[in-house]
Amino acid sequence: MAYLSLLGAGPGDPELITLKAVNVIRQADVILYDALVNESLLSYAKPGAVVRFVGKRYGCHSLSQQEINHLIVSYARSHGHVVRLKGGDPFVFGRATEEIAAAKGAGIPVQVVPGISSALAGPAGQMIPLTSRGITESFWVTTGTTLTGEISADIDLAARSSATIIILMAMSKLEAIMDIFAGYGKSNLPVAIIQNSSTDREKVVTGTVKDIVFKAQHAGMSNPAVIVVGKVVDLKDMTGTVQQLIDRHEER
């Protein structure tokens, strides 16, 4: 039976995938996986399953989204159950809606199995809470760039708020993004950059809006990375009580 399953593989650590996702991988006739998927997860595939890389890596030819959509439909019709394995969560900048539309347009049923997004797991792995009572009550998750390659207008809106800001796919625009925060008088706001979160290649740099670009360049930071901007970054290496942290920020 033709069928599409959209699976979230989590942030990179192969243990941070749900049990349901593993069980679905085991049932798949075809697995189409992305660049940020830990390839050890492919060991769950059943014998004879078609396993194909369809992700995007810098400097390598990659399939267009239209080509991926075509593969999903053609493999579902020829083989049956297709698993589309995506890093993080399928619905967090995963272009899942386009693949669902292609499958449903061809009369192919779809199920979605959520995954842990790096937007949440990256900070958590560094003991950075996205919210903390008395410090911040909300958080934004936004992409650094739009479809046209411009900085998202949501960055400007987020920079005006008191929320924690998590920015994905933004290292190429880091300096311009930090300039936006500085323009709202937030040069001293803490920033963390977490590259390859939850993997053995993880790198972390912390600083402030005014110096994080220099620190990131010095450390050779690049994508895939999660950028966290907000007072909660100071909780990463917290000494003293949360109230003392609140008092320190009120003095700034």
Side-chain angles (χ1 to χ4, degrees), residues 42-101:
L42 302 176
S43 65
Y44 294 118
K46 67 183 180 183
V50 175
V51 179
R52 181 167 176 177
F53 173 73
V54 296
K56 298 173 174 60
R57 288 194 174 112
Y58 182 77
C60 299
H61 172 73
S62 60
L63 297 177
S64 69
Q65 187 60 53
Q66 186 175 0
E67 288 172 319
I68 293 172
N69 294 347
H70 175 74
L71 284 178
I72 289 171
V73 173
S74 62
Y75 272 129
R77 287 173 171 167
S78 63
H79 288 68
H81 185 190
V82 175
V83 160
R84 183 71 175 93
L85 190 58
K86 296 172 174 285
D89 180 89
F91 281 169
V92 180
F93 306 122
R95 303 188 72 169
T97 51
E98 298 166 62
E99 295 172 0
I100 291 172

Side-chain angles (χ1 to χ4, degrees), residues 11 36 194-203 222-225:
L36 296 182
I194 308 156
Q195 180 180 327
N196 291 314
S197 66
S198 80
T199 72
D200 56 7
R201 305 181 310 281
E202 184 174 76
K203 291 171 61 176
S222 62
N223 282 318

